[in-house]
Amino acid sequence: PEVCLRLEVGPSAAVHSPLAVQNGFLHMLVHSYTAEFFMSFLTNLGPFLEDEIIPEVMPMEIEVVDAKITLKDDSPRVYPTSPGPVPITLAVDHVIVKRRDDGVFYLTGQQHWETCFILPWCSPGFLQEQKAPAECVLAAPAAGARGLQLKEVPELQRELQTMKLALAEANMDKARLLQEIRKYNPLFQL
C-alpha cells in the first residue's frame, strides 16, 4: 500500500505520549507515493485550513518514504507563445513529521536507510525485516526490483529521476524550438 494509517486511543496509546490516551495517537506512513498537483489547488487550500476554533492537540507521527510530488503552474500565460513554466518536482527520500503533546510539529530526516523497519499494522509482506541491514529486501517489489538492497534502490531511483528530468527538459527545448520556427513559417512540419 502507498498509505498506511493507524489510530490508537485509550490505555494502549500511553506508550506514545500521556496525551495520546485521551486524544489518540495517529501514525501514518506514506511509501512510494507519486502525485501531481496544480498550483491553484494548493493556493485554494488556505480557506479550508483556517479555523476559528483551536482544535485539541492530537499527537501524531507521519513518515514519508520515497515520495515524489510534482507541482504544475496552471496560471494564465502572460505571453501566448511562451512554452510556460517548468513543473517543480519535490522528491522525498525519508522524512518524519512528529507532533508532540505541546502541539509543535517537528521535522526530521534520514539520509540513508541504514536499517530495515517493519510496520505490523500494514498489510503482511509490506516490508520484510532481516537481521543484517545490508541484506534487507522488499518483500513485494512493485517494479521488479527483487533482490536489490534497500541502499541501492534510492540511488537507482535518483538516477532514474535525473534521466526523466533531462528527457523532459530536452522535450521542452524541442517544443520551444518548433514554436519559434512556426512563428516564421506556420506551415512547417517535422
Side-chain angles (χ1 to χ4, degrees):
E2 291 182 337
V3 178
C4 294
L5 290 170
R6 181 178 184 180
L7 178 64
E8 290 184 59
V9 180
S12 65
V15 295
H16 303 292
S17 75
L19 186 62
V21 174
Q22 184 179 18
N23 292 352
F25 182 82
L26 174 70
H27 190 181
M28 179 176 169
L29 169 69
V30 179
H31 191 278
S32 301
Y33 180 73
T34 303
E36 289 185 1
F37 295 113
F38 288 114
M39 294 298 280
S40 62
F41 169 77
L42 294 178
T43 55
N44 290 328
L45 275 180
F48 293 105
L49 297 175
E50 293 176 2
D51 199 356
E52 295 179 11
I53 301 172
I54 298 173
E56 291 182 9
V57 173
M58 176 187 282
M60 64 180 70
E61 182 174 314
I62 301 170
E63 190 169 357
V64 181
V65 179
D66 188 30
K68 185 177 94 172
I69 298 172
T70 303
L71 300 174
K72 295 183 176 180
D73 188 8
D74 60 337
S75 61
R77 293 186 181 158
V78 177
Y79 302 106
T81 58
S82 169
V86 178
I88 299 170
T89 301
L90 174 68
V92 178
D93 281 339
H94 194 162
V95 171
I96 300 172
V97 179
K98 291 182 182 182
R99 186 178 192 191
R100 298 197 179 134
D101 292 354
D102 57 2
V104 176
F105 287 92
Y106 297 89
L107 182 69
T108 58
Q110 290 184 338
Q111 289 183 331
H112 303 288
W113 292 4
E114 295 180 4
T115 59
C116 285
F117 54 93
I118 186 165
L119 302 170
W121 44 272
C122 284
S123 65
F126 178 64
L127 287 178
Q128 178 181 354
E129 180 179 59
Q130 296 185 4
K131 296 299 178 194
E135 299 180 284
C136 295
V137 204
L138 290 174
R146 185 172 302 277
L148 289 178
Q149 295 178 352
L150 282 179
K151 289 182 181 180
E152 291 176 4
V153 173
E155 219 173 283
L156 291 173
Q157 286 175 339
R158 271 190 237 109
E159 201 172 308
L160 176 65
Q161 181 65 26
T162 304
M163 296 308 251
K164 282 183 179 180
L165 289 173
L167 178 62
E169 187 176 327
N171 285 336
M172 289 187 66
D173 286 344
K174 176 184 165 187
R176 188 172 52 245
L177 288 172
L178 282 173
Q179 205 169 26
E180 190 69 27
I181 290 171
R182 287 190 181 123
K183 276 196 318 190
Y184 299 106
N185 183 2
L187 300 176
F188 178 79
Q189 293 296 323
L190 188 61

